[in-house]
Structure formats: structure tokens, C-alpha cells
């Protein structure tokens, strides 16, 4: 694969994989500890509505998907702030409506045959410079938020009632977590697609959780593990001419299986 590094699209894919992997590792950790794994799949499928709107109105796909995903996150935050145990119900509803909106607007777009495979299973080799700026900017925002709001995010994630008693603005941080999750899901779709995004956000986090003793170390380790899985998956994809998103997830799943086989009992 060394000779392939001379191609711009391969360089872009590697950079995108690293940026998205660390974003997914950090946000995936928050999704797991907040017990909102279903949220990732819900927002991923909901964002298809934004893809459909972007196609219909001729907007950048990333912009349409991001705005729609953030809107869905804000709606979920509003509906579930007082009853977080009902979050799965609302996510399921928004999931179906978002997908339906996307399909309808794609159908209404004259003369356009959308390549569903690129959205379902990712198209990391099609990442351009503008996409990299978006991914890099999102990771910078995530790192900024975690650096300066870590203690409050930690409190809200593990015990929101206690955090509220301590004067933490639980609504703000809960909504912030959902918005960052939505944007991370959107960039992860570019890498592995909306069908496989849950695996990217949870498999590295599961392994990191078993090897970590704090949320911060779990975030860093899961980001590093996700990066390793992504790079190895890209190598398999290039070497054997396979779909990149599916290759990344299969590498992740195989690694998880080996981890459970050799270290499962030690980490229980």
C-alpha cells in the first residue's frame, strides 16, 4: 500500500480516518456512559432526511445532513430532558420520519439517481479537502469542549440529579452532548455509512472501557483503538478491493472477538 500513499484520495482517506476515529472515540464514550447507543443509529438514519433535502435544493451534502442531524438532536433533547428513560421511543419515531423525508425528497429530485451505497456503507475514498476541514474543525470543537467542560460533562453523564444539585446546568450539557453526537455521526457516515455507524462508535469504546479506569482515559484509548481499526480496515480495503466502510467494521468486530477470547475473563 506504500505506493498508494502518493495518491491524494488515499492521503485524504487516511487523514479523514484518523480525525473521525478520534472524534468517534471521544463521543462514543459519552454515548455509551449515557446509555444512548440507540441514539447514534437514530441520528444516522434521521440525517438521511438532510441528505434528501440537500440533494433536492442543491446544497452540500454535509451541510444538509449536519443541519438535519443537529435539529433532530435538539428535538430529542427537548423531548427527553425530563424523561430520559423514554429516549428510545422518540428516537425510533424521529428515525423513521427522517428516513421517509430523505427518500421522498430524493424521489422528487428530477433526473437524479442517488448512489445509496455511498451513504449506507460510506465513501471514505471520496473525501475532499472541504470534508477534511469540517472533520478537523469538529474534532477541535470536541477537544475544546472536553478540555474545559470535562468535570461537568462527567457529572451529567454519571449522575445528572447530583450534578443539578451542585449547580451544573444539566440541560445545557445534555443538549451539548447530543449536538456533538449528531455531528460526529454525520462525519462517521462519510467513513462507514449510516448502516455501520453504531459499530464504529461502540466497538472501540467497549474495548477501551474494559482497559480504562476513568472516562478521560477511555476517551483517549477508544480514539486510538478506532484509529488502528480504521487504518487496518483501509489497508484491507485497498489490498483486496473491498468496500472501505465494511472492511473497517469487520476488522473492528474481529478484533473485539479476539479481545473477548483472550481477555474477556480478565476484564469482567
Amino acid at each position: 500500500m506504500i505506493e498508494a500513499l502518493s495518491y491524494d484520495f488515499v492521503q485524504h482517506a487516511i487523514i479523514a480516518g484518523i480525525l473521525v476515529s478520534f472524534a468517534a472515540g471521544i463521543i462514543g464514550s459519552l454515548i455509551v456512559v449515557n446509555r444512548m447507543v440507540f441514539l447514534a443509529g437514530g441520528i444516522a438514519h434521521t440525517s438521511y432526511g438532510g441528505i434528501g433535502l440537500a440533494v433536492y435544493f442543491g446544497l452540500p451534502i454535509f451541510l444538509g445532513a449536519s443541519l438535519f442531524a443537529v435539529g433532530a438532536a435538539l428535538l430529542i433533547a427537548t423531548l427527553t430532558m425530563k424523561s430520559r428513560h423514554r429516549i428510545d421511543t422518540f428516537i425510533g419515531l424521529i428515525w423513521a420520519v427522517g428516513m421517509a423525508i430523505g427518500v421522498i425528497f430524493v424521489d422528487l429530485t428530477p433526473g437524479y439517481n442517488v448512489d445509496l451505497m455511498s451513504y449506507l456503507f460510506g465513501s471514505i475514498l471520496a473525501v475532499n479537502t472541504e470534508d477534511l476541514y469540517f472533520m478537523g474543525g469538529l474534532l477541535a470543537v470536541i477537544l475544546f469542549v472536553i478540555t474545559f467542560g470535562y468535570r461537568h460533562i462527567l457529572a451529567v453523564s454519571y449522575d445528572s440529579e447530583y450534578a443539578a444539585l451542585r449547580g451544573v446546568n444539566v440541560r445545557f450539557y445534555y443538549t451539548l452532548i447530543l449536538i456533538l453526537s449528531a455531528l460526529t455521526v454525520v462525519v462517521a457516515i462519510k467513513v462507514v455509512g449510516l448502516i455501520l455507524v453504531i459499530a464504529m462508535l461502540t466497538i472501540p469504546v467497549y474495548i477501551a472501557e474494559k482497559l480504562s479506569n476513568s472516562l478521560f482515559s477511555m476517551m483517549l484509548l477508544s480514539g486510538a483503538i478506532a484509529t488502528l481499526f480504521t487504518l487496518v480496515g483501509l489497508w484491507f480495503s485497498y489490498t483486496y478491493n473491498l468496500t472501505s466502510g465494511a472492511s473497517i467494521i469487520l476488522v473492528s468486530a474481529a478484533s473485539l472477538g479476539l479481545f473477548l477470547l483472550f481477555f474477556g475473563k480478565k476484564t469482567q
Side-chain angles (χ1 to χ4, degrees), residues 25 28-29 32 198-212 218 221-222 225 229 252 255-257 259-261 263-265 267-268:
S29 298
V32 169
I198 293 180
M200 186 176 192
L201 289 166
T202 55
I203 292 177
V205 173
Y206 179 87
I207 297 174
E209 185 180 23
K210 299 301 182 181
L211 302 175
S212 306
M218 183 169 72
L221 185 57
S222 59
I225 293 172
F229 291 165
S252 302
S255 301
L256 175 60
F259 176 80
L260 294 175
L261 179 63
F263 303 102
K265 294 183 178 179
T267 56
Q268 287 180 353

Side-chain angles (χ1 to χ4, degrees), residues 104-143:
I104 292 299
F105 273 95
V106 168
D107 288 342
L108 293 175
T109 304
Y112 187 85
N113 295 316
V114 65
D115 180 13
L116 288 176
M117 292 294 289
S118 65
Y119 301 119
L120 295 179
F121 300 104
S123 55
I124 190 173
L125 295 178
V127 170
N128 55 39
T129 304
E130 290 73 20
D131 295 336
L132 292 179
Y133 286 141
F134 185 92
M135 294 172 180
L138 175 60
L139 180 57
V141 170
I142 291 173
L143 292 174

Side-chain angles (χ1 to χ4, degrees), residues 7-92:
Y7 298 112
D8 288 342
F9 72 91
V10 175
Q11 296 173 10
H12 288 172
I14 292 174
I15 296 172
I18 294 172
L19 293 174
V20 174
S21 293
F22 271 98
I26 295 171
I27 296 302
S29 298
L30 293 178
I31 289 174
V32 169
V33 299
N34 280 279
R35 299 178 182 179
M36 297 187 300
V37 173
F38 191 45
L39 169 75
I43 290 180
H45 288 78
T46 301
S47 66
Y48 191 75
I51 293 172
L53 287 170
V55 169
Y56 183 79
F57 291 106
L59 301 173
I61 298 296
F62 250 159
L63 177 62
S66 298
L67 291 177
F68 208 84
V70 169
L74 290 173
L75 180 58
I76 291 171
T78 301
L79 293 174
T80 62
M81 186 64 235
K82 298 294 185 180
S83 55
R84 291 176 64 171
H85 63 283
R86 300 292 301 277
I87 190 170
D88 287 356
T89 302
F90 294 116
I91 290 174

